[in-house]
Amino acid sequence: MSEHLRVAFLGLGTMGLRMAERIRAAGYDLSVYNRTASKAEALGRHGAFVAATPSEASRGRDVVIVMVSDTADVGQVMFGPDGAAEGLGAGSVVIDMSTISPTATRGFAARVSEVGADWLDAPVSGGSEGAEQGTLSIMAGGDAEVLARVRLLLEVLGSTITHVGPVGAGQVTKAVNQVIIAGTYAAVAEGLALGMKSGIDMEAAVSAMAGGAAGSWILDRRSANMIGNEYPLGFRLELHRKDLGIALAEARDLGVPLALAALVEQWESGLIGRGYGDEDVSAVARVVREQAGL
Ligand code: NAP
């Protein structure tokens, strides 16, 4: 049933290109738009309709998926000149899978509701690997009935799809996720620096800790980067700093002190200034290593 949905996909970057390709391969009627047109060529050769503008891509579509960088970019693609909102009709659903501001999200949802369209905020975690393999974790905010209508489509992209509440709740959940991982990266970097400076066998130390209370995805998957002082992607540090910016703005509005997240955001700003923004976010260990004289 859901395969009959006509889908538009806007934003064919690291994540979006892989996700759109999965939707095409699952047999959906797909139109695509990317600001840099060349990135859409391969999908066009494989049968997707390549639109010249977001509004051309969204016209007559049941579902419009957006996967661009930041809040202003979602605003541009949706509501800028030739924006996708111009092609929306009553009953169509926008699924914004970018990581953006929860507050702006509620405003965007209100704007599309004026033409009878619905908005789901459905940011993801799982990285480019998850995008390619369809194993993303999807944190969805919006109306439960609207989510039910597009769930089969989202199952092409993610292995976990959790309805976390009304519009905006998905973006809040993603912000919480990014705050938690900020603290974890910092704590793992500090712990490892202590071990390295002491001169113990760090591989043995990491495997001794793995199953215990200090165990985490970051200890398992990223401690080798921190020990070797090399930070291949991964998740780009600059994108994590963007996400912490969203979380810190939300926290400021709500009167929530996020001391750890603010510290890590400052470390990341310094690293970006020194040219490390394209490294994996585990590069926060550079700061700790330097302070420890490693
Ligand atoms: P990316 O590789 O930098 O791609 C960004 C995409 O957005 C490109 O298609 C870009 O078009 C488009 N775009 C940006 N600004 C635009 C604008 N003003 N108008 C039109 N198009 C615009 O980013 P990504 O890694 O795919 O990430 C996309 C979103 O997913 C972000 O919100 C990110 O935080 C989130 N996310 C990423 C990961 C990850 O591991 N990468 C994981 C989870 C969530 P051009 O090609 O023309 O530049």
Side-chain angles (χ1 to χ4, degrees):
M1 180 67 188
S2 161
E3 288 77 10
H4 301 306
L5 289 175
R6 302 185 73 230
V7 179
F9 202 107
L10 316 179
L12 304 172
T14 307
M15 299 292 286
L17 187 61
R18 292 166 169 83
M19 294 160 74
E21 174 53 29
R22 290 192 62 82
I23 291 170
R24 187 206 60 77
Y28 286 88
D29 179 337
L30 180 67
S31 68
V32 295
Y33 165 79
N34 196 60
R35 180 178 58 183
T36 306
S38 57
K39 291 189 198 165
E41 282 168 7
L43 276 161
R45 281 196 300 277
H46 293 141
F49 169 70
V50 179
T53 62
S55 63
E56 188 185 16
S58 68
R59 200 161 304 281
R61 297 278 150 177
D62 303 300
V63 176
V64 177
I65 299 179
V66 185
M67 192 55 165
V68 296
S69 306
D70 206 345
T71 308
D73 307 311
V74 174
Q76 172 85 25
V77 164
M78 286 303 306
F79 306 107
D82 293 319
E86 292 175 20
L88 295 179
S92 52
V93 180
V94 178
I95 311 177
D96 178 26
M97 306 191 77
S98 330
T99 301
I100 69 163
S101 153
T103 303
T105 290
R106 295 181 196 106
F108 293 156
R111 286 179 75 172
V112 302
S113 74
E114 288 166 15
V115 295
D118 287 290
W119 188 283
L120 296 172
D121 47 311
V124 304
S125 74
S128 56
E129 208 177 33
E132 184 146 353
Q133 294 168 2
T135 55
L136 295 169
S137 293
I138 301 176
M139 312 157 206
D143 191 284
E145 183 273 326
V146 175
L147 177 61
R149 265 162 41 209
V150 300
R151 185 173 273 274
L152 277 180
L153 170 62
L154 290 177
E155 283 175 0
V156 173
L157 305 176
S159 46
T160 314
I161 300 158
T162 310
H163 183 227
V164 289
V167 166
Q171 296 294 356
V172 173
T173 305
K174 175 76 187 194
V176 171
N177 186 82
Q178 299 308 72
V179 167
I180 291 173
I181 70 169
T184 311
Y185 277 108
V188 171
E190 289 194 352
L192 295 180
L194 174 61
M196 284 186 277
K197 195 84 193 248
S198 309
I200 61 169
D201 175 346
M202 289 309 295
E203 210 174 302
V206 168
S207 69
M209 291 184 290
S216 67
W217 187 96
I218 290 165
L219 184 72
D220 284 349
R221 314 271 185 104
R222 295 293 181 258
S223 54
N225 289 3
M226 297 185 183
I227 294 164
N229 205 25
E230 283 182 20
Y231 308 95
L233 290 175
F235 181 57
R236 207 146 53 85
L237 186 139
E238 192 158 9
L239 277 180
H240 188 249
R241 200 261 309 248
K242 170 197 71 113
D243 295 352
L244 287 182
I246 291 166
L248 290 168
E250 204 69 12
R252 195 180 310 114
D253 288 349
L254 293 168
V256 180
L258 296 184
L260 281 176
L263 173 66
V264 173
E265 195 245 6
Q266 292 296 302
W267 286 356
E268 291 178 346
S269 291
L271 289 165
I272 290 165
R274 292 162 58 202
Y276 296 124
D278 288 333
E279 290 191 339
D280 183 72
V281 64
S282 51
V284 296
R286 286 185 181 282
V287 177
V288 182
R289 289 178 66 105
E290 283 164 18
Q291 287 172 358
L294 281 161

